[in-house]
Amino acid sequence: MKTMEFYSKVDQITQVDSRYSPESYEFINDAVIYTVKKCEKNKREGESSHISGRELLDGVRDYALKQFGPMAYNVFTEWGITDGMAVGNIVFNMIEYQLLSRSEKDSISDFENAFDFKIALSSPFLPDLESVAVELPVIV
């Protein structure tokens, strides 16, 4: 559960940087938690629970598909999240306001050229055209 301090800091962030909605910050925070839990299953005992930018982007995609289904891309565009750099900007804004932490290896460039958000968030819900056989009527 997020605290009043979380929402206060998100309000401060969005007053300075209005590119992304307050909901996007709440979602990214939840996606970080989701991704850490998912990645912890694959890490050895004693290994850091810190996730990379790429791991977070994969987690953001998976979590968005679970939360919003076929509406994920529409929700993201409404919030201002259109690519990996938008996620990176949100993450680094949250780091600046001490809502997230970072390692020395983390860089905003970790979020560049990740994947096409429209394809990644829409394609799981499109029909497989190879499996759809359509016979067109013959006009005589």
Side-chain angles (χ1 to χ4, degrees), residues 71-87:
M71 294 300 296
Y73 182 71
N74 293 345
V75 171
F76 270 33
T77 56
E78 182 71 24
W79 289 347
I81 303 173
T82 56
D83 57 21
M85 284 305 294
V87 173

Side-chain angles (χ1 to χ4, degrees), residues 53-54 57 83-86 88 107-115:
R54 183 60 201 200
L57 286 169
D83 57 21
M85 284 305 294
S107 167
I108 190 74
S109 65
D110 297 340
F111 296 89
E112 289 179 326
N113 306 318
F115 47 77

Side-chain angles (χ1 to χ4, degrees), residues 31-56:
V32 167
I33 294 166
Y34 169 85
T35 305
V36 166
K37 287 180 182 176
K38 185 177 169 186
C39 289
E40 279 178 347
K41 294 176 186 175
N42 300 326
K43 293 193 178 189
R44 288 179 254 136
E45 192 174 324
E47 222 176 349
S48 169
S49 64
H50 187 80
I51 54 174
S52 70
R54 183 60 201 200
E55 287 172 322
L56 178 56

Side-chain angles (χ1 to χ4, degrees), residues 5-123:
E5 181 183 9
F6 175 87
Y7 292 108
S8 175
K9 286 185 178 187
V10 167
D11 186 52
Q12 291 171 29
I13 294 169
T14 56
Q15 287 180 22
V16 173
D17 183 353
S18 62
R19 292 177 292 175
Y20 314 107
S21 73
E23 294 85 1
S24 66
Y25 287 89
E26 185 170 5
F27 176 84
I28 295 300
N29 188 74
D30 292 346
V32 167
I33 294 166
Y34 169 85
T35 305
V36 166
K37 287 180 182 176
K38 185 177 169 186
C39 289
E40 279 178 347
K41 294 176 186 175
N42 300 326
K43 293 193 178 189
R44 288 179 254 136
E45 192 174 324
E47 222 176 349
S48 169
S49 64
H50 187 80
I51 54 174
S52 70
R54 183 60 201 200
E55 287 172 322
L56 178 56
L57 286 169
D58 289 340
V60 164
R61 179 191 58 229
D62 294 348
Y63 191 62
L65 293 172
K66 286 179 188 264
Q67 293 298 305
F68 307 118
M71 294 300 296
Y73 182 71
N74 293 345
V75 171
F76 270 33
T77 56
E78 182 71 24
W79 289 347
I81 303 173
T82 56
D83 57 21
M85 284 305 294
V87 173
N89 290 330
I90 292 167
V91 166
F92 274 80
N93 282 344
M94 292 175 77
I95 290 168
E96 184 177 334
Y97 283 80
Q98 300 175 338
L99 293 172
L100 294 175
S101 60
R102 67 179 281 197
S103 77
E104 296 166 3
K105 296 178 186 178
D106 292 333
S107 167
I108 190 74
S109 65
D110 297 340
F111 296 89
E112 289 179 326
N113 306 318
F115 47 77
D116 184 308
F117 267 49
K118 186 172 187 174
I119 292 171
L121 297 174
S122 302
S123 64

